[in-house]
Each structure stands twice: as structure tokens, then as C-alpha cells.
Amino acid sequence: DGKEEWRRNLMDRFRQEIIVNEPVFLSEVLFNSSDSSMELAITSSGDAHFIQHLNEVRASVEKRSGVVSDVRNIQGGLFTFQVDFEPTQFFLPSAYDQSSPYEQWESQKPIGHQTVFQLEMEDKDDPEDLVMAEFGDAVKKILSKLQKTDIDDVELHEFNGVGDGFLLIGLWSGGTVTVLWDGNIHVDLNIFTYTENETAHLG
């Protein structure tokens, strides 16, 4: 509720202006029932395990009252500055169990593959040699490497009425290709396909 915003700001001022260094926390928790809701703002200082304690309190309130809690926001304070700090131990990545992150990485399923090329002309004296027809042919050659279907299935859109350069967009069922010329010496080429194929993108 916008009318209650001043209450949140008041609680946050304790964190920002009075107790600024960790461990200090500001939390906003919403408790919902079938017919009502209540927002609880908590500013805590000195409790390094505040989040654990907050979760314990939430679970206790839910068990006793039947309401459902929703943590909307948690913010911490500034790191405590330690003069001439010298760590007593050093840990390398090999000291940690990396199996779970690796399994998560391997389980990811990419939904697309994007490659961006940024090109510049060697001959900077005559950028007008870049013509849209040549770029149109170049886009079609790129598309022919990216898909096995007939090249005529591609929609090619040309835009040359804005600024000094032009924009070419190739659309087909397998992805998109865009070519953007700035009217001078710089060209951006953006290739996106729904299948991951590094060889085709760099071919």
C-alpha cells in the first residue's frame, strides 16, 4: 500500500543511518490468510544468524495461526571494515565440493545459441562502398550455413530510411540474423538459432 510506504522508509533509515554495519538486517514479511493480510517489517542488529532465526519464527507463526508467510525483502548493512586485515587461511576452488554445481550445469538445456560479431572496415576512406544488396547476399550465405531448408523460406527485411546506415533482418523458423551498419566503418552481425551449433555460427 502506497499510504504505508513511510513506515518502510522509517524502518530502513535505522539500517542506513543509525546502525549501518553488519550484522544488521531489514526484512519485510507478508502474512496472508484467506480473508486478510498483514505486513511485518523487522530491523535487526547484532544477530549474525538473523535469516535462520527469521525462518524459524515464520514456521512457528504459520504452524500456530494457519497463515502463509512470504518474505518480500531482506537487506543487509555495510561490511565491517577491518584495518590491516590479514586472513589466517586461504582456500582454493579445489577445497570445495564442485560436484553439485557441475551436475546442475550439465542438466541445463539451452533454448538457443547467439553469436555477435563486431566488424570494422580496413579502408576507412570510402565506407559508402557498403551497399545493402551486398549485405543481403551475405546474410543469405550465412543462413544457408545455418539451416538445411530452402533459403527461399527466409524473410529478409531491409531498413535504410533511419540514420546514415541500414539494418537487415533475416527471419526463419530456425532463428534470426541481423546486420547493422552505422553508416561509417562499423558493422554488427548478430546470429541467433534455436539449436546450439558452434560450427555453423563460426563457419
Side-chain angles (χ1 to χ4, degrees):
D1 187 351
K3 296 181 181 179
E4 303 298 326
E5 188 68 26
W6 69 272
R7 300 179 188 272
R8 301 188 188 96
N9 294 336
L10 175 63
M11 299 296 289
D12 197 32
R13 291 192 68 173
F14 282 95
R15 183 185 65 89
Q16 293 190 23
E17 300 179 14
I18 299 176
I19 310 170
V20 298
N21 291 318
E22 290 190 336
V24 58
F25 297 91
L26 170 67
S27 173
E28 297 171 4
V29 185
L30 195 64
F31 293 95
N32 297 300
S33 66
S34 59
D35 57 359
S36 64
S37 64
M38 181 188 73
E39 181 178 312
L40 175 65
I42 304 173
T43 299
S44 170
S45 173
D47 185 0
H49 303 286
F50 170 77
I51 296 177
Q52 176 185 342
H53 296 153
L54 176 64
N55 286 329
E56 292 172 354
V57 171
R58 287 176 52 220
S60 178
V61 171
E62 289 181 348
K63 183 177 180 180
R64 293 186 179 187
S65 64
V67 299
V68 177
S69 63
D70 179 16
V71 178
R72 293 297 182 89
N73 183 34
I74 296 180
Q75 292 178 282
L78 300 177
F79 291 119
T80 301
F81 178 71
Q82 301 180 47
V83 180
D84 298 327
F85 173 73
E86 294 184 5
T88 57
Q89 298 184 61
F90 293 89
F91 296 95
L92 298 174
S94 58
Y96 300 89
D97 182 5
Q98 302 288 337
S99 58
S100 179
Y102 180 75
E103 290 174 1
Q104 192 277 334
W105 171 264
E106 288 293 311
S107 68
Q108 294 183 18
K109 296 181 180 180
I111 60 173
H113 185 188
Q114 183 178 32
T115 306
V116 178
F117 297 94
Q118 294 187 319
L119 312 172
E120 291 193 352
M121 295 175 56
E122 292 183 358
D123 184 4
K124 300 183 180 181
D125 296 328
D126 194 12
E128 294 183 1
D129 287 344
L130 293 174
V131 294
M132 186 169 292
E134 293 176 355
F135 268 97
D137 293 339
V139 170
K140 290 181 179 179
K141 290 179 181 179
I142 293 170
L143 294 174
S144 67
K145 293 179 178 293
L146 293 175
Q147 62 170 353
K148 296 180 180 179
T149 58
D150 192 344
I151 196 66
D152 292 335
D153 293 338
V154 177
E155 277 184 43
L156 194 61
H157 300 272
E158 305 175 355
F159 304 92
N160 60 355
V162 180
D164 297 327
F166 55 72
L167 171 67
L168 285 176
I169 301 177
L171 305 175
W172 83 107
S173 59
T176 62
V177 172
T178 62
V179 179
L180 176 65
W181 175 43
D182 67 353
N184 193 10
I185 63 171
H186 187 85
V187 177
D188 289 322
L189 172 61
N190 190 325
I191 304 172
F192 174 81
T193 57
Y194 291 108
T195 57
E196 191 170 11
N197 189 335
E198 183 176 349
T199 302
H201 277 238
L202 300 179

